[in-house]
């Protein structure tokens, strides 16, 4: 059996910043590390054996 890991899904309840492009890495990093975004979001931790694309 393979090693078990975890995938964490974060469902933000705050809106994406107006005018920001969805693929903008800097905006994504700022959004996902914002304390207000994280504390108001739903967090789901799922067991995973491997990631698939």
């Amino acid at each position: 059996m393979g090693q078990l890991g975890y995938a964490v899904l974060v469902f933000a309840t705050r809106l994406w910043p107006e005018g920001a492009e969805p693929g903008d890495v800097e905006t994504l990093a700022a959004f996902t590390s914002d304390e207000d975004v994280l504390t108001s979001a739903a967090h789901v931790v799922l067991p995973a054996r491997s990631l698939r694309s």
Side-chain angles (χ1 to χ4, degrees):
M1 215 182 259
Q3 186 176 9
L4 184 63
Y6 298 93
V8 179
L9 302 176
V10 178
F11 296 95
T13 57
R14 300 217 173 206
L15 296 177
W16 182 254
E18 187 174 331
E21 293 294 322
D24 181 28
V25 176
E26 290 177 6
T27 303
L28 177 62
F31 184 76
T32 57
S33 63
D34 184 286
E35 188 174 336
D36 289 336
V37 171
L38 293 174
T39 57
S40 66
H43 301 256
V44 179
V45 180
L46 301 168
R49 294 201 190 282
S50 65
L51 297 177
R52 297 180 187 165
S53 58

